[in-house]
Amino acid sequence: MIIVNKVRDHAQSSVPLATLFVGAYAVLGAAGCAYQSTQAGMATAPVRPAAAPTGLQVDPPTPDPRVGLAAGMFDAGEAIWNLNLLSATPPPDPFVGTSNSDLAFTGPYAIQGNYDGIQIWDISDPANPESVVTYVCPASQSDVSVYEHLLFVSGEGFGGRLDCGEQGVEEAVSHDRLRGIRIFDISDITAPEYVANVQTCRGSHTHTVLEHPGDEDNVYIYVSGAAPVRPAEELAGCSGAPPEEDSNTALFRIEVIRVPVADPASAEIVSSPRIFEDLVAPPTHGPAPDDLAVIEAARERGAFIIEVMGQEMVLPEPAAQQMLGQMVAQRGGEGPPTAADSAALREALPSIIAQMMGAQGGEGDGPEPGPTQCHDITVYPAIGLAGGACEGYGMLLDISDPANPRRLSAVADSNFSYWHSATFNNDGTAILFTDEWGGGGAPKCRASDPMEWGANAIFTIEGTELEFQSYFKLPAPQTPEENCVAHNGSLIPVPGRDIMIQGWYQGGISLIDWTDPVNPVEIAYFDRGPVNPDRMQMGGSWSVYWYNGVIVNSEIARGLDILELVPNEALTQNEIDAANSVQLTHLNSQGQPIFEWRATFALARAYLDQLERHGGLSAARIGAIRDELAGAEEMTGSARAGALRSLADAVSSDAAGAGDAATVRSVAEVVRGLADAGM
């Protein structure tokens, strides 16, 4: 996720150059210490938009209306297909011009992170969301999660303060600095109460709340911190030394915080699992053609070229000027930087970057070590597993012991640059990882960019192993003025199918069917034109999630969008009604809930629609079942129950000769459930 607006946290001359670079690096549009490299081993053939799964016929608009949309902040051109935009609400005044980040939900409320704090919306009327509270509390990137009456917020920026003050922190070492997890009591959601914080050595870029089925008294927070290790003078016990020098190094580990629900002020770190042991640094796939041309042109004009985790990039002029100014200040000079300052900066940049990325030495004949941190971890308590998107690797983790997650397997891919996030399918047999190539602040959906770079990768879960199946990338090319790459999304509870809504920054949002993991297909989208017509300016979908019948999109620059599904050739009204019958009390997308459906007539009809779509049962038999179901629905009492039981028995018999016996049995099960419920 994007480390935006952190430059201001590092502009003071008292902050060391390596620390300053973390802020300067934000100008690159880097996300989660991005530009990590990957390892060869997966398929590398060019990937194009996949064919539809058997029986799923999709006929998208041609030509794609997302191509060539007019630019604008709040008046950009729009393209929408198979979705309905209910509302588009600009950010409140305190957050205008500051990046919105992730989302969490509780009751009728959407909680939206922002680099300057949190915004709470009442979305009970999705066409007219209302601001409940704008809570200013800077500390990038303000990832948010909820559990019962508690709200958790990530803080990683060097300018974040324990007291939520807006003045920042000037000192290189300060006990006023907040880097870790803030804890709020939102019993009164209109007045969040800041009750505690837990400081960590690398801050919290993202975090994951684990509601463990065997522990109702506590919740657990898995912290992923991507910033440099803070000095021990600021937080005791912090060390950025390589493991061979310090076995307690803050590198190569995550933090696990246990939060007693009844006493959140006593929350504390209970373990620091080293889930990265024995991994080696995977190789990079190199720059794309357009990026290579930019680098060569910059080299010719004398710009600063840096290498981050094996990939060259241009240090933007604002970042270069900040760092040159720091060089001048450190030598006690005045006035503009000299040629000697430029030469000194060129010489210092490799070590600055190495320190910023948490270099581990790596001298000698052996391979370089692998990643030191995850970007994001998605836990799925219902199956006891987690998916770790850990920079250069995708991981499968055992979370049966919540305080001590254990790595089961890890995969790398020469086409993936930065494993960013993970989503399981509902039955836990497959997982989708995203690749945030370019860090989220770069245009990586250009026509010349490979379709397998900056995409999703889908794996099936075979025991404890991950088996690669396919890639999916947004099929509509975007302009160089639009940051675009795979980013955050969530499942939509359409029964019997794996359908996910996903954000692509300024590529907009895309609805993907990956029921067939070998053939993922786009079935809906919403997109706007660039924020700025002349240059790349941050905007677009940071995260978009389904929650209780609506699709909520956190737009980095433009505020909050709320959309809904509409029936179309790939999705029926019955399927939408069945999905909307799932009602959650709260949602943290990285704490993935299992979806379960109560027996409804819409659910039975949704399964029948699916049988019709892919020919899983004869058309004549489907029609007859529909007629009997409609007749039973008109009945009441024992007559209805009897008709439904008779129908359930008949449908169960149909399974034996059906092309899709499993879905036929699902119809029978729902019909029997309707009978038992007396509906």
Side-chain angles (χ1 to χ4, degrees), residues 272-505:
S272 299
R274 298 193 176 278
I275 61 174
F276 309 97
E277 289 182 345
D278 305 321
L279 295 177
V280 298
T284 178
H285 58 53
D290 285 2
D291 297 326
L292 187 59
V294 168
I295 291 168
E296 292 308 313
R299 198 188 309 275
E300 290 181 6
R301 68 174 184 267
F304 291 93
I305 308 299
I306 59 177
E307 184 175 306
V308 179
M309 302 306 290
Q311 295 208 27
E312 286 190 325
M313 64 179 75
V314 181
L315 183 65
E317 188 61 22
Q321 290 304 314
Q322 277 190 291
M323 300 180 81
L324 285 169
Q326 182 79 337
M327 299 291 288
V328 172
Q330 285 192 352
R331 65 174 170 80
E334 295 181 356
T338 65
D341 292 322
S342 294
L345 179 57
R346 290 185 196 278
E347 183 178 354
L349 275 172
S351 62
I352 293 171
I353 296 167
Q355 183 177 344
M356 185 272 298
M357 297 302 293
Q360 300 86 45
E363 296 190 8
D365 298 330
E368 292 289 329
T372 71
Q373 186 56 265
C374 288
H375 178 274
D376 219 330
I377 298 172
T378 294
V379 295
Y380 197 1
I383 62 173
L385 297 176
C390 301
E391 300 181 342
Y393 285 84
M395 297 184 186
L396 191 64
L397 306 173
D398 179 344
I399 57 169
S400 55
D401 179 353
N404 296 286
R406 181 173 59 89
R407 189 179 89 222
L408 298 174
S409 60
V411 291
D413 182 349
S414 60
N415 287 321
F416 257 44
S417 177
Y418 191 80
W419 298 70
H420 175 273
S421 56
T423 302
F424 290 91
N425 68 349
N426 195 57
D427 63 10
T429 59
I431 187 169
L432 181 151
F433 289 100
T434 65
D435 172 22
E436 199 184 35
W437 171 43
K444 298 299 187 182
C445 302
R446 299 159 295 190
S448 62
D449 289 329
M451 291 296 289
E452 65 271 39
W453 294 4
N456 301 327
I458 301 170
F459 294 78
T460 53
I461 301 172
E462 311 290 344
T464 61
E465 299 300 319
L466 298 171
E467 298 292 337
F468 173 77
Q469 301 298 318
S470 67
Y471 300 106
F472 173 87
K473 187 172 182 179
L474 189 77
Q478 305 291 299
T479 69
E481 290 73 47
E482 294 173 283
N483 55 303
C484 177
V485 76
H487 214 234
N488 296 337
S490 73
L491 288 185
I492 294 178
V494 176
R497 300 174 68 181
D498 300 327
I499 294 180
M500 176 177 172
I501 191 73
Q502 182 179 8
W504 293 79
Y505 289 113

